[in-house]
Amino acid sequence: MKPTHPSAHWLSAVLMAGTLGASSLAFAQADDPVTFAVPPWPGVTVKTALATQLLDTLGYSTQQEQLGTTITYQALNQNEVDAFLAGWLPAQQSMYDAAMNKQTLVDLGNNVDGARIGFAVPTYVYEAGVTSAEDLNTPENAERFGRTVYSIEAGTGMSDQLNAGADKNLYGLGDWKLSETSTPGMLGAAKAAMNEHQWIVFAGWTPHWMNIEYDIAYLDDPKDLWGPDGGRSDVRTLVTKAFADANPNVTRLLDQLTFTADDQSAMIRGYGYEEKPADKVAVAWMQAHPAKVKGFLEGVTTAAGQPAWPAVKAAFDLDA
């Protein structure tokens, strides 16, 4: 169940206003494109493709802007984009807090149940006794790891967390090398190490196809380098307050768009690993999970004010 946010009461009030008729606020912006910010991550790419296909089917126009997270928060605050389906917390906490303090955004809650971030190692390393981040910097283990942690791009929330932990010398990582590269670069290094049965530790997360294709395990994090509760993460749906005020019908759909980590890992595998088009992966997932799609559309209408489910059911040949 998604946590209740301060915006929940506001959203309910706006949604009630939006039920007054097809000429009401709910449909005032139907001809304006709903603009999504999309960072270059497979999960949010497919998730956004799914959202845009639903909205297109309901009679709305959509567009996507390929933006990094820092620029995304700036664009949201300036009303240059409307929605963002990848507000990872606590990895983006500082950016999120700064944006929310401006009172220009509405947090619709977590859209991925079971997301997690943390130190990942091959299962054979875990079975050799490295089960906690506390085990990384023993003399023997540090040497086997080459005193290196692999991560994704510098400036991302994940690498910022890792650098902050190293600056505090958490787990003795202060004198370790942080190899910051692209996600494919990091995972390429992990695959190469596992092919040779070598030791490697890297910044992992779920949902992602790495959890399906690679035999890996996550280390305990007793000092909360990656955040509380074992690196548990929320992936928040964020919209601008101006957009939500003008578009309660679309906002309701985005609020109800939720997935499990396994759901999204499968999507990411199809797009990021098998290299299928994002829109085709999204449609295949909807056809395999029609009851979930029907749940996304509860209380939602087309732009013209008709029930949403029949239109989507017919468009994607769903059966629920």
Side-chain angles (χ1 to χ4, degrees):
M1 179 178 295
K2 291 203 302 180
T4 299
H5 294 273
S7 64
H9 301 298
W10 164 87
L11 178 58
S12 296
V14 175
L15 287 171
M16 289 179 65
T19 62
L20 296 178
S23 62
S24 72
L25 198 59
F27 314 110
Q29 301 292 318
D31 293 332
D32 295 336
V34 182
T35 304
F36 290 85
V38 189
W41 305 335
V44 70
T45 298
V46 178
K47 187 163 50 181
T48 304
L50 189 152
T52 58
Q53 288 184 89
L54 290 176
L55 289 171
D56 291 343
T57 301
L58 297 180
Y60 294 92
S61 61
T62 61
Q63 63 184 26
Q64 300 180 36
E65 297 290 343
Q66 303 294 320
L67 302 174
T69 52
T70 301
I71 300 300
T72 289
Y73 280 98
Q74 295 173 359
L76 284 166
N77 278 318
Q78 295 170 11
N79 289 306
E80 294 174 352
V81 297
D82 302 312
F84 180 47
L85 304 182
W88 273 79
L89 299 181
Q92 298 170 11
Q93 195 72 54
S94 60
M95 291 181 282
Y96 171 88
D97 289 344
M100 294 302 291
N101 285 340
K102 297 180 185 296
Q103 298 183 342
T104 57
L105 302 186
V106 177
D107 182 343
L108 299 179
N110 183 31
N111 65 57
V112 179
D113 182 23
R116 182 185 180 186
I117 185 173
F119 291 114
V121 297
T123 297
Y124 55 80
V125 173
Y126 190 90
E127 292 175 344
V130 181
T131 61
S132 169
E134 297 278 14
D135 302 321
L136 292 173
N137 200 42
T138 67
E140 180 181 359
N141 290 344
E143 182 177 349
R144 297 189 73 174
F145 284 119
R147 293 187 179 275
T148 301
V149 179
Y150 291 82
S151 183
I152 60 172
E153 298 88 348
T156 60
M158 180 181 292
S159 277
D160 286 348
Q161 279 183 276
L162 183 56
N163 275 281
D167 289 344
K168 296 175 183 176
N169 198 33
L170 293 182
Y171 306 121
L173 298 178
D175 62 351
W176 281 45
K177 175 185 176 182
L178 304 183
S179 178
E180 296 171 301
T181 180
S182 65
T183 299
M186 182 189 76
L187 294 178
K191 182 178 180 180
M194 287 185 274
N195 286 343
E196 299 297 325
H197 210 71
Q198 295 176 346
W199 283 34
I200 187 170
V201 57
F202 59 96
W205 65 91
T206 184
H208 194 271
W209 61 254
M210 73 179 81
N211 302 283
I212 300 172
E213 293 298 324
Y214 295 164
D215 190 7
I216 60 177
Y218 289 86
L219 304 185
D220 291 340
D221 180 19
K223 295 182 179 178
D224 293 339
L225 184 151
W226 298 109
D229 196 19
R232 179 191 174 280
S233 298
D234 280 352
V235 186
R236 302 286 180 84
T237 298
L238 305 177
V239 296
T240 68
K241 189 175 186 302
F243 175 83
D245 286 343
N247 297 275
N249 188 55
V250 176
T251 301
R252 180 166 190 152
L253 171 58
L254 297 180
D255 181 54
Q256 295 175 169
L257 202 69
T258 59
F259 306 89
T260 66
D262 288 344
D263 285 336
Q264 199 170 340
S265 288
M267 293 179 187
I268 295 167
R269 183 177 186 269
Y271 173 70
Y273 187 77
E274 297 176 343
E275 299 184 344
K276 297 176 182 177
D279 58 346
K280 294 187 181 301
V281 173
V283 170
W285 185 90
M286 287 194 287
Q287 291 175 335
H289 302 87
K292 291 186 177 181
V293 178
K294 188 175 183 179
F296 297 163
L297 300 170
E298 182 179 355
V300 177
T301 71
T302 67
Q306 299 301 311
W309 170 243
V312 170
K313 180 181 178 181
F316 297 107
D317 193 23
L318 307 183
D319 184 17

